[in-house]
Amino acid sequence: MKRTVIFIAALSVFFFALAASAGQTNLFKKYESVRQALLSGSVEDLQRTTQELADTAVAERQNAIAERANALVSAANPLAARDSFSMLSEELIRFRQGRSGARPVVVYCSMEKKSWLQPKGAITNPYVDASMRSCGEVQ
């Protein structure tokens, strides 16, 4: 009887931990790396971080996000990269809606008519030049 109770308790702890980890994702962290690379203007960093995001999305079975990330990897110029980032952001915003717990905030730029995700804090708009980085509002 004592062994059965211990076994059931251990099994409960295991399933609780499994359920808690199921809600975790690395997609937001990888997306933020992509956003930072876009802000810095480094094409090499942008391609590397976007490929990491695509790989993570495939591993987490988020095919729509992987597809958008792959489109960003192949962007031919900064304007195309920003447009691809916008579509990637839309997909991650949809993904965010189905999540709970710690999540990045959604920010919208009315000048560009585009949204993105970022950690709480000062706004850093990835769609505009450095002089307009603070343009946007948390939704």
Side-chain angles (χ1 to χ4, degrees):
M1 176 73 166
K2 186 176 180 181
R3 283 185 180 169
T4 304
V5 170
I6 291 173
F7 175 75
I8 291 172
L11 197 57
S12 297
V13 168
F14 170 76
F15 282 118
F16 178 76
L18 185 62
S21 67
Q24 300 299 315
T25 181
N26 288 318
L27 291 172
F28 296 134
K29 179 180 167 187
K30 297 293 183 182
Y31 171 87
E32 179 59 18
S33 295
V34 171
R35 191 178 75 85
Q36 289 299 322
L38 192 60
L39 284 165
S40 76
S42 169
V43 173
E44 183 179 294
D45 285 348
L46 181 61
Q47 289 177 330
R48 178 184 50 78
T49 57
T50 305
Q51 187 60 58
E52 290 172 3
L53 173 61
D55 294 344
T56 300
V58 168
E60 294 189 20
R61 296 186 175 123
Q62 297 299 322
N63 296 333
I65 293 171
E67 185 178 310
R68 296 291 186 197
N70 284 324
L72 179 53
V73 168
S74 346
N77 57 56
L79 183 58
R82 287 183 174 144
D83 285 340
S84 288
F85 182 76
S86 174
M87 291 185 282
L88 173 64
S89 295
E90 289 172 15
E91 201 60 51
L92 270 134
I93 290 168
R94 278 191 285 278
F95 174 76
R96 177 192 177 275
Q97 290 171 342
R99 311 301 286 190
S100 60
R103 303 176 298 170
V105 296
V106 178
V107 183
Y108 177 74
C109 175
S110 59
M111 286 178 34
E112 292 293 319
K113 297 183 178 25
K114 295 178 181 174
S115 296
W116 70 94
L117 296 173
Q118 73 169 56
K120 290 179 184 174
I123 291 174
T124 49
N125 188 330
Y127 299 113
V128 296
D129 65 33
S131 67
M132 296 293 293
R133 287 283 188 237
S134 63
C135 179
E137 58 187 48
V138 175
Q139 297 291 295

